[in-house]
């Protein structure tokens, strides 16, 4: 069911007139709901279900755009529907945001966690994911064992994955090493399937944990795992550039 709002608010939401002016339109008998003229105030309509006309012309709400950042946990697929019925990232959002159709911008593997963007704006998704816009994606990878200087330098100059595809030079630095593992920060701007895992495989490393922390300069920050927030207008305009 769509949201239920007062008729004058709906007319204003459609960009036809201010709420006060909309009240006047109603009083003047210029507004109809489902073919019936409405002249009294206080009538409510359901967005998307009721047909409203002003001076005989149908009016429609402008589509609101949603730009969301989720801290995706491991164990969720980043598609709207999974063929194996596993939990999806949409499940994490739709409990708070009903009646909004959003989709993930690019994807994170089932076993990857961290920053995932979701939207209903196809142009935004295109600008974030298409390699020609060079949006850098930063990951923290936990590698089993150590990393050699040679391996790190190979990541930095590009490695072969996927039948001869050579990755562009990446930024890569070792952040820490403990308990037989090495923590590496890596930044890439392509988005091949399982690219980061394959890049480490190509230099003899095994990724045992992977988290995306940043897209361009938009950071996951301290958003808790499994939670989401709206992007700020500043973040949206930066990512749209
Ligand atoms: N690279 C990977 O290997 N996995 C992801 O989920 C994202 C980038």
């Amino acid at each position: 069911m769509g949201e239920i709002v007062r008729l004058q608010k709906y007319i204003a939401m459609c960009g036809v007139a201010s709420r006060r002016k909309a009240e006047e339109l109603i009083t003047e008998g210029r507004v109809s709901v489902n073919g019936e003229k409405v002249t009294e105030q206080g009538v409510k309509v359901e967005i998307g279900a009721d047909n409203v006309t002003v001076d005989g012309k149908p009016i429609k709400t402008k589509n609101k755009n949603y730009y969301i950042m989720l801290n995706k946990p491991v164990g969720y697929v980043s598609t709207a529907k999974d063929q194996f019925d596993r939990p999806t990232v949409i499940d994490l959002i739709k409990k708070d945001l009903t009646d909004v159709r959003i989709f993930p911008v690019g994807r994170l593997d089932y076993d990857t966690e961290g920053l995932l963007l979701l939207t209903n704006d196809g142009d935004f998704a295109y600008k974030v994911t298409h390699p020609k816009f060079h949006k850098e994606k930063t990951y923290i990878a936990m590698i089993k064992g150590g990393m050699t200087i040679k391996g790190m330098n190979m990541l930095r100059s590009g490695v072969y994955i996927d039948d001869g595809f050579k990755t562009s030079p990446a930024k890569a630095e070792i952040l820490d090493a403990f308990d037989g593992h090495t923590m590496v920060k890596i930044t890439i701007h392509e988005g091949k399937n399982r690219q980061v895992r394959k890049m480490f495989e190509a230099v003899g490393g095994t990724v045992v944990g992977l988290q995306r922390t940043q897209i361009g300069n938009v950071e996951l920050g301290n958003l808790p795992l499994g939670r989401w927030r709206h992007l700020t207008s500043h973040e949206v305009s930066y990512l749209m550039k």
Side-chain angles (χ1 to χ4, degrees):
M1 190 159 100
E3 196 186 343
I4 303 208
V5 295
R6 292 168 79 91
L7 183 54
Q8 70 268 39
K9 178 176 176 186
Y10 180 75
I11 295 169
M13 282 168 80
C14 295
V16 175
S18 66
R19 280 198 208 185
R20 179 168 299 182
K21 179 83 182 120
E23 284 171 5
E24 287 173 24
L25 293 174
I26 296 168
T27 313
E28 289 163 11
R30 295 167 61 185
V31 180
S32 298
V33 177
N34 300 328
E36 265 184 55
K37 193 193 281 185
V38 174
T39 51
E40 57 188 356
Q41 305 297 329
V43 169
K44 292 188 172 176
V45 291
E46 184 185 338
I47 299 176
D50 286 321
N51 257 321
V52 179
T53 58
V54 174
D55 294 334
K57 286 197 206 100
I59 60 170
K60 262 174 71 179
T61 44
K62 294 190 202 122
N63 261 347
K64 180 170 156 48
N65 283 331
Y66 288 86
Y67 305 98
I68 284 170
M69 170 195 292
L70 169 73
N71 187 354
K72 175 195 171 301
V74 166
Y76 285 80
V77 289
S78 48
T79 46
K81 179 103 188 77
D82 182 46
Q83 53 172 331
F84 304 114
D85 259 351
R86 292 173 296 183
T88 80
V89 291
I90 304 293
D91 296 335
L92 289 169
I93 302 203
K94 73 175 181 210
K95 26 179 209 205
D96 317 303
L97 207 63
T98 46
D99 287 329
V100 176
R101 256 167 223 250
I102 48 167
F103 55 87
V105 177
R107 35 169 297 176
L108 285 180
D109 298 332
Y110 184 72
D111 45 356
T112 300
E113 63 180 42
L115 197 173
L116 182 70
L117 300 175
L118 298 105
T119 189
N120 57 353
D121 179 347
D123 188 39
F124 174 80
Y126 178 69
K127 287 193 170 144
V128 174
T129 50
H130 199 290
K132 81 174 178 193
F133 296 106
H134 286 264
K135 293 283 171 349
E136 291 186 328
K137 282 117 190 158
T138 299
Y139 298 83
I140 306 286
M142 194 61 87
I143 310 300
K144 194 165 169 218
M147 283 295 299
T148 59
I149 301 277
K150 185 171 170 222
M152 292 299 292
N153 283 337
M154 283 168 74
L155 294 174
R156 291 179 186 128
S157 50
V159 292
Y160 287 95
I161 60 169
D162 287 347
D163 295 335
F165 174 82
K166 187 168 186 221
T167 59
S168 300
K171 292 180 200 153
E173 66 173 302
I174 294 178
L175 296 183
D176 206 350
F178 53 88
D179 293 341
H181 290 85
T182 310
M183 193 192 265
V184 180
K185 179 173 166 184
I186 181 161
T187 302
I188 61 174
H189 63 77
E190 300 136 326
K192 294 271 173 210
N193 188 27
R194 296 181 81 81
Q195 179 163 340
V196 173
R197 290 171 205 272
K198 287 176 184 168
M199 287 174 74
F200 279 98
E201 259 165 46
V203 301
T206 304
V207 174
V208 292
L210 189 60
Q211 180 196 35
R212 181 155 67 193
T213 55
Q214 218 168 310
I215 297 181
N217 65 11
V218 174
E219 294 182 46
L220 184 61
N222 52 15
L223 184 66
L225 203 56
R227 302 293 291 271
W228 66 271
R229 69 166 173 86
H230 293 285
L231 294 185
T232 63
S233 54
H234 197 75
E235 288 170 328
V236 174
S237 48
Y238 162 77
L239 290 167
M240 280 287 210
K241 263 198 275 169

